[in-house]
Each structure stands twice: as structure tokens, then as C-alpha cells.
Amino acid sequence: PDLNYSARSKDGRVIFDALPADAQGNYCGVLLMKMDDELAAPDTNPKKLRDLIDEYIPQFSPLIDEKNLAAIAKKAPSFLPSFRYAGPRLHEGEKTVVLGDAAHTVKPYFGLGANSALLDVEVLDECLDKTSSIGDAVKMFSVERAGEAESMVKVSRQLDRPGTLGLLAFIVPLILDSVFHGFAPKIFEANTLAMFQRTDYDFRGIQKRKRIDRINQTLVLGFFGYLLSKTNFIFDALSQATGQNLTTVISAVVGTIAAAVFVRKAAFFFLPGLAPADVLGKMQSKATNNDSFITPLGFKDKQEGPEDLT
């Protein structure tokens, strides 16, 4: 089976991803580094680059021969695409549509870009079959896929927000979804990453479902908090035993339970060798709002600069 390999250094300096390149088992390696790293510049010293790889990702070093290493050291850095989508329509005139990466760009993880591009082609083919003219077909395609392109990029963005708060915004919902889905799978859906594998949900459906789950999770947590506040006899006893006021005792008990569940679930995401590279590598970048990655179709004056990774 095809496997993606990912490794990240503890200090965040190096992230290395190996993605399947062909049916013969060859892989395409992607080395991610901060833009201001001296070895991210063009025409760097191959020996220094080899020393870096040997130090940070030695398991991959034997797979990179000297010829390829010299080419890597010489080349100028490339930049990952920004999260962007075209809108509010995906057609121009009656004979032009934008689809695939031209309509929505996401990071090369989870298979979102390639799979969505194939689906764009399938939907366009269906639109051509359902309509009597190309003009009607491209308009129908725009209606069908414009909202989906926007939702896909926004969902992807939520999984890759930079900074410590961005990391928490990625992990905490996964933990909440894991707890609630395990407790009541008929009421609460699985986490967003798991829902990517579902054929009965498109990206708009995932967005809508996660909003519903968040509302229900908040209601359940609030209800249990209310019940706890009513069990005064337990908390009164704890308050008298500890000499703390009732509010402090209730907060401590609820916080301890929540922390225990959180730590138990969060431990999985910090296993050695586990690297959600699209999230953990950008701890110092500033977050941007959703409007910063909308590309109005037909306009070129709102282009966004490359991300701070190479």
C-alpha cells in the first residue's frame, strides 16, 4: 500500500515528508525549513546539508545520493501554496471554467487537492450531460462547485492555523470529537480528518456537521457543569475539608476531570515520530483571517505572498 512518511525535528528546524511518486515504490521527498535558515538558501554547502540531514533525519540520509544532495543544495527554495480559492463563481463567459488547483489550493496533505480535482472533472462531465449547451453546463458547474471549493479551503485552513493557539485549535477539536463520538456515535460524528474519508459528506457537509457537533458539545458540557453545581453536599464536604470556597472546589474538580480526559487523548498526538507537519512546523507565523485567501475571479490585485516555509 502507499504510505506517506513524515519526520519532524524536536526544535522544529527540519520537517521531511516522503510522498509516493509512482507505482514502482519511488518516493518524492519534501524538505521543509524556515525561509531564514541558512541551508534553505540557494547554492548552500552540500556537506553542511548532509550534516544537517544526518543530525536531524538520519533515517532518510542513506536514500539521498550525493548527486541529488548537490542538486538540492544548489536549487533555490520553492514555496508551498497559500490556502486560496476562486470565487464567487468558477466560470468566465460561456466556455471557460476553473477547476482543480486553479479553483482551490491546499497543502499537499490528506489527498484533498488531487481528489477534489478529479471530482471537479466528474461534476463538469455530469453538467455537460445534464444541459443542452456548454454555456449552461459551465454555469451549473459553477453553482455546484464554487461553494465546495470555498469550504474545502476553509476546512483545510482550520487544520493548519499557525502559532500555539493554532495548534490547540487543531488538537482540541480532535480530542473533543474523539470523546463525544466514542460516547454517543449516533449523535456526534467522528473528527474532521476521519470525515475526509466519508463519501456521504462533501466539504460543505463537513463544515455544517462540525458546527452542529460544537453546539451540542457545548450544551452537554454546560448541562454536566450545571448538574455538578447542584451536587452541593459533595462539594460542601470538600470545601470544608480543604478550607476553600465552594466555587474554587467546583472549578478544581471539573478542571481535574477535564484535564485528565484531555491529557489521555492528547498523548496520542505527541507520540515520538508522529508529526502533523502541516501544523507543527509553523509555530511563529501570524494567523490570517479567511478573507486573506479569497481570490476574486478575474482580478489579480489581491495576490498573497508565499508562506514562510521552503
Side-chain angles (χ1 to χ4, degrees), residues 9-305:
S9 62
K10 290 183 178 180
D11 61 4
R13 182 183 180 185
V14 172
I15 298 172
F16 185 80
D17 290 313
L19 311 174
D22 57 34
Q24 284 69 51
N26 293 312
Y27 277 73
C28 172
V30 181
L31 180 65
L32 303 177
M33 302 173 69
K34 292 289 184 180
M35 189 169 62
D36 57 359
D37 194 298
E38 63 171 327
L39 293 179
D43 296 313
T44 57
N45 188 318
K47 184 181 184 306
K48 287 186 177 181
L49 184 59
R50 174 68 74 184
D51 290 341
L52 177 81
I53 293 173
D54 287 340
E55 178 183 357
Y56 284 96
I57 46 175
Q59 65 270 43
F60 294 105
S61 187
L63 304 178
I64 307 173
D65 60 33
E66 295 303 321
K67 181 180 178 180
N68 281 321
L69 184 71
I72 296 170
K74 183 176 180 59
K75 75 179 292 293
S78 302
F79 297 94
L80 293 174
S82 300
F83 289 96
R84 302 181 68 89
Y85 62 89
R89 67 183 190 281
L90 298 181
H91 72 282
E92 182 68 25
E94 296 192 347
K95 293 186 178 180
T96 304
V97 295
V98 290
L99 48 75
D101 285 349
H104 40 71
T105 56
V106 294
K107 292 290 176 61
Y109 305 104
F110 312 123
L112 300 183
N115 287 311
S116 296
L118 293 172
L119 186 56
D120 285 344
V121 174
E122 180 181 349
V123 172
L124 179 59
D125 182 62
E126 292 174 354
C127 291
L128 290 169
D129 289 338
K130 292 177 181 178
T131 56
S132 57
S133 69
I134 294 178
D136 290 339
V138 298
K139 293 174 184 176
M140 178 182 287
F141 172 82
S142 191
V143 171
E144 292 284 335
R145 297 297 290 170
E148 186 71 355
E150 177 180 349
S151 293
M152 182 182 74
V153 172
K154 288 184 176 180
V155 168
S156 301
R157 186 73 178 185
Q158 290 168 359
L159 299 176
D160 194 35
R161 291 192 179 279
T164 303
L165 290 179
L167 176 61
L168 293 176
F170 170 74
I171 291 179
V172 171
L174 293 183
I175 296 172
L176 283 175
D177 288 338
S178 175
V179 172
F180 280 91
H181 180 67
F183 175 72
K186 292 185 178 180
I187 300 175
F188 300 96
E189 271 294 353
N191 64 65
T192 301
L193 299 183
M195 292 186 72
F196 286 164
Q197 310 300 319
R198 298 275 296 272
T199 58
D200 53 335
Y201 277 99
D202 58 15
F203 288 99
R204 282 175 288 189
I206 292 174
Q207 269 194 316
K208 182 178 180 180
R209 181 64 205 202
K210 286 295 103 182
R211 291 192 191 105
I212 294 173
D213 281 349
R214 297 291 171 260
I215 292 172
N216 290 335
Q217 288 166 1
T218 301
L219 291 174
V220 170
L221 292 174
F223 176 70
F224 275 101
Y226 173 77
L227 290 181
L228 285 173
S229 70
K230 294 300 181 181
T231 56
N232 288 337
F233 67 95
I234 297 176
F235 293 117
D236 284 340
L238 288 173
S239 178
Q240 292 176 7
T242 61
Q244 301 293 327
N245 62 53
L246 189 60
T247 301
T248 301
V249 170
I250 293 175
S251 299
V253 171
V254 173
T256 300
I257 295 172
V261 174
F262 180 86
V263 169
R264 181 174 178 271
K265 293 294 182 180
F268 167 79
F269 298 99
F270 295 98
L271 289 174
L274 181 70
D278 53 322
V279 177
L280 299 180
K282 300 192 325 179
M283 299 296 290
Q284 304 301 324
S285 302
K286 292 183 178 180
T288 56
N289 58 38
N290 287 339
D291 292 337
S292 67
F293 56 95
I294 302 174
T295 304
L297 187 63
F299 294 89
K300 297 182 179 180
D301 58 344
K302 291 189 178 182
Q303 294 300 311
E304 187 176 352

